[in-house]
Amino acid sequence: MIKHILAIDDSVAMREILAATLRTAGYDVTVAADGDEGLASALARTFDLVLTDQYMPKRSGLDVIAALRANAAYAATPIFVLTTENGDAFKEAARAAGATGWIEKPLDADTLTELVDALNA
């Protein structure tokens, strides 16, 4: 069951949208401002779901995903990449890194909530 969510994005506005949307839906949300901060947060505490932006300073979303998948605690955790990318090459790279899937930006708050709720079904 998903209760604790880590949302990683270098955009302050996107972090606020993710946190507000998911908290309103009843989830506990921790935010991180870049890939290194997100990875550190994920390794300090186990999350039930990770959402990560792709293009960030210090470490990309796919790098974060690959590092998390190398940790046994995140072997089966749903991890979604938030991105404006929608090409087949990116999707293949996301799968290879271990992404559960991707959510295209601009983000639709209702779609995000429905996705997370569906993971709990």
Side-chain angles (χ1 to χ4, degrees):
M1 171 151 258
I2 294 173
K3 293 181 181 179
H4 306 291
I5 300 172
L6 175 61
I8 311 166
D9 201 298
D10 60 324
S11 164
V12 173
M14 184 58 69
R15 287 194 307 272
E16 290 174 358
I17 290 167
L18 290 166
T21 299
L22 295 167
R23 286 178 182 145
T24 298
Y27 297 100
D28 173 47
V29 181
T30 299
V31 295
D34 62 49
D36 283 351
E37 184 181 330
L39 186 57
S41 293
L43 297 177
R45 171 186 177 190
T46 303
F47 291 90
D48 305 313
L49 170 66
V50 177
L51 304 171
T52 181
D53 185 25
Q54 167 55 11
Y55 297 107
M56 299 180 291
K58 300 181 184 177
R59 189 182 299 257
S60 75
L62 297 188
D63 290 341
V64 170
I65 293 168
L68 289 177
R69 290 296 187 216
N71 184 308
Y74 287 96
T77 302
I79 305 174
F80 287 85
V81 62
L82 305 168
T83 184
T84 56
E85 295 281 340
N86 62 8
D88 290 339
F90 175 77
K91 291 176 181 177
E92 186 175 318
R95 282 188 203 99
T100 304
W102 45 88
I103 301 168
E104 287 186 37
K105 292 180 180 179
L107 181 69
D108 178 80
D110 291 335
T111 301
L112 175 63
T113 302
E114 289 170 8
L115 172 70
V116 178
D117 290 345
L119 292 170
N120 277 327

